Amino acid sequence: MYQKIAIIAFLVTLVYIVLHRIVMPSHKRLPGNSRNEKLSIIGMLRILIYLAVLFCFIVLAITGFYPTLILGKHITGYLVMVHATFAPVFAVCLAVLAVMWAQRWRFTAGDWPWFERVVKWATLTNNPGENNFHKSSGLGRKISFWLIIFLALPLILSIVLSMLPFLGTHWQELLLSMHRYTALVFTMIAIMHTYFIIRT
């Protein structure tokens, strides 16, 4: 059952990306707008952490979904060892990433133009000269980033709690199932976030 759901979920994600690419083509960067500024040490560290998270995610996704999607089995053997080795590294790097990138991916008033209209309607101010709302810069990237951060908590806790000895078999199976489905949603959103990053 999980195999079919996972295949459908990945197909839906792929179709969404293709349709998004067709409906909203990316704009070419103007020749004069290339970024030539030097990166600071913090900037380079931020990029390295991001790449480390991305690498760990790819390893975890392959080791976690390959047996399920291709072999139709649960993860076993060396794949479990590789998965368990990269999982704590991923968790730590993701926590650091959340702290270092939170300011960059914060929501602004310009992300919600409908909210701007509601505020103007509620306050009875519709002066075109006064515009305190700034244009959105990548709402899809921001939403997917925060969903990744929030989904990481049940993703990590579910597998850690399932290993504790005081839980019964029923709870262990429930937590393992929760981990698998959370990992599926997490992976779908991570793929979309990566797509949004590549586009820009």
Side-chain angles (χ1 to χ4, degrees), residues 28-135:
K28 292 183 179 179
R29 188 184 296 274
L30 296 176
N33 290 344
S34 59
R35 295 184 178 180
N36 295 322
E37 65 268 16
K38 294 181 180 179
L39 286 175
S40 64
I41 295 176
I42 298 297
M44 289 188 290
L45 182 62
R46 186 183 292 123
I47 291 173
L48 286 175
I49 293 293
Y50 192 92
L51 292 175
V53 169
L54 184 61
F55 177 74
C56 290
F57 165 74
I58 291 171
V59 172
L60 291 172
I62 292 173
T63 56
F65 288 107
Y66 172 77
T68 303
L69 300 181
I70 307 300
L71 306 176
K73 301 177 181 178
H74 293 291
I75 180 173
T76 55
Y78 289 109
L79 290 178
V80 172
M81 296 173 62
V82 174
H83 198 82
T85 301
F86 279 86
V89 179
F90 175 75
V92 172
C93 290
L94 189 63
V96 175
L97 184 76
V99 174
M100 297 185 76
W101 286 74
Q103 177 73 14
R104 180 183 179 93
W105 299 114
R106 73 188 188 282
F107 290 103
T108 60
D111 293 324
W112 318 100
W114 59 269
F115 182 70
E116 177 184 0
R117 291 192 292 269
V118 171
V119 170
K120 286 183 177 181
W121 174 80
T123 58
L124 300 177
T125 57
N126 195 14
N127 186 357
E130 296 180 2
N131 187 10
N132 298 323
F133 295 88
H134 303 287
K135 189 176 180 182

Side-chain angles (χ1 to χ4, degrees), residues 168-184:
T169 306
H170 172 71
W171 280 103
Q172 288 178 337
E173 291 177 354
L174 187 65
L175 287 170
L176 184 59
S177 180
M178 178 182 174
H179 178 75
R180 296 172 73 195
Y181 283 100
T182 307
L184 179 59

